[in-house]
Amino acid sequence: MPGESLVIVGATGLVGRTFLKVLDERNFPVERIKLLASSKSAGTEIDFKGDKISVAEFNINQFQRGDIALFSAGAQLSKEVAQTLASNGVTVIDNSSAWRMDSSVPLVVPEVNPLDANWNKGIIANPNCSTIQLVVALNPLRSIASINQLIVASYQATSGAGASALEEMKQQSEDVTHGRDISIDEFPHQIAFNVIPQIDVFEDLDFTKEEWKLVNETRKIFDDQNMLISATCVRVPVAYGHSEAIHINLDKPISVQEAKHVMSAGQGLTVIDNPNNMEYPLAINAEGKMMYLLGE
Ligand SMILES: NC(=O)c1ccc[n+]([C@@H]2O[C@H](COP(=O)([O-])OP(=O)(O)OC[C@H]3O[C@@H](n4cnc5c(N)ncnc54)[C@H](OP(=O)(O)O)[C@@H]3O)[C@@H](O)[C@H]2O)c1
């Protein structure tokens, strides 16, 4: 079967390796695949569909017209090269924050606004992880009511900050448990046995960049600049799986039963909501999935 020509940029990272896992699980038709990362990982071998593929150092000459490039190597690299690649006939699907708020670039979550991908000019952005799960959860409700106001608090896993951050949480947990000194490189404070109410830098009104991403990206995806949104983003010592507590104010009353009904049919959602049996979403069960508990 003929397939696509793919280039994975940031292939050795947590997100890059997840791209490969999902492409494999979905049996995405791949004719040719290149794996790129920094010079540090050049020569590393990664398994894909039973083949060992050698990672090459990133270089703009590695791309060909018609390639689909999945970028997950930080915003700086995406800013530097995405437009040049797009004008040379490469479709860049960018996982970083570089292009999300650019009005000429669609910001797409396939379960929510897939058709926006059609007006791309060579770059398609995908949102921050905490925005993705928020909009996927709320989208089905928008078929029965409009959202006037949204207040969200996140409990974000350390994997969201990359492979080294996840490693730091594990190492600190061991060091604290054994009474050893800890080192802090990836987070503003100790993350083991702690929660940190800061993700990224502080910006306007003392909200963090992560909190503004949730606000602005959600408005862009839902195409509603008037939606009132307030976000509080907190890092917690969880390995994988972000959790969120979301309160919404709708333009008309709906029952929990109605909400459950439409959300259960929503794309990409599993509703787990049986408090009497202590059944609700748990981060440890959430890796690779999305799950929701509903309440009044
Ligand atoms: N949209 C989302 O849901 C979401 C979620 C998490 C992360 N992200 C974003 O995705 C990106 C990667 O996250 P991650 O968790 O995978 O981080 P990570 O585990 O730290 O991996 C970073 C990857 O980028 C590569 N890289 C770094 N600098 C590079 C350069 N100058 N040239 C080529 N490759 C370079 C690294 O290669 P080496 O191994 O050689 O260093 C590695 O493959 C970040 O931009 C992050 O903000 C998005």
Side-chain angles (χ1 to χ4, degrees), residues 137-270:
L138 295 180
N139 195 45
L141 295 173
R142 294 171 69 239
S143 65
I144 53 171
S146 293
I147 300 168
N148 294 329
Q149 189 182 28
L150 190 171
I151 299 171
V152 54
S154 72
Y155 309 76
Q156 295 184 218
T158 52
S159 56
S164 322
L166 177 59
E167 223 24 70
E168 179 161 304
M169 192 263 295
K170 291 180 181 167
Q171 187 60 50
Q172 284 182 359
S173 303
E174 274 190 37
D175 289 342
V176 171
T177 306
H178 292 96
R180 297 190 291 253
D181 288 343
I182 59 155
S183 66
I184 301 173
D185 298 308
E186 302 291 333
F187 298 106
H189 299 278
Q190 174 183 323
I191 183 63
F193 306 102
N194 199 10
V195 297
I196 304 176
Q198 178 186 354
I199 300 181
D200 217 326
V201 293
F202 281 92
E203 292 190 333
D204 288 355
L205 304 175
D206 286 344
F207 284 98
T208 59
K209 193 170 179 181
E210 185 84 356
E211 290 162 344
W212 281 118
K213 282 179 188 171
L214 258 171
V215 172
N216 294 326
E217 293 174 12
T218 301
R219 286 178 176 154
K220 179 168 175 178
I221 293 162
F222 283 161
D223 193 19
D224 183 354
Q225 290 306 317
N226 296 322
M227 192 181 284
L228 298 172
I229 308 177
S230 175
T232 303
C233 294
V234 177
R235 187 74 70 191
V236 294
V238 162
Y240 295 99
H242 297 344
S243 303
E244 291 178 357
I246 307 167
H247 291 85
I248 48 172
N249 179 283
L250 299 171
D251 67 340
K252 64 177 192 195
I254 62 166
S255 68
V256 169
Q257 279 319 316
E258 274 178 284
K260 224 181 221 187
H261 180 71
V262 288
M263 286 181 78
S264 297
Q267 267 200 62
L269 298 187
T270 305

Side-chain angles (χ1 to χ4, degrees), residues 109 112 127 130-140 142 217-218 221-222 244 292:
V109 177
V112 178
S130 44
T131 308
I132 296 171
Q133 66 189 78
L134 177 79
V135 296
V136 170
L138 295 180
N139 195 45
R142 294 171 69 239
E217 293 174 12
T218 301
I221 293 162
F222 283 161
E244 291 178 357
Y292 293 90

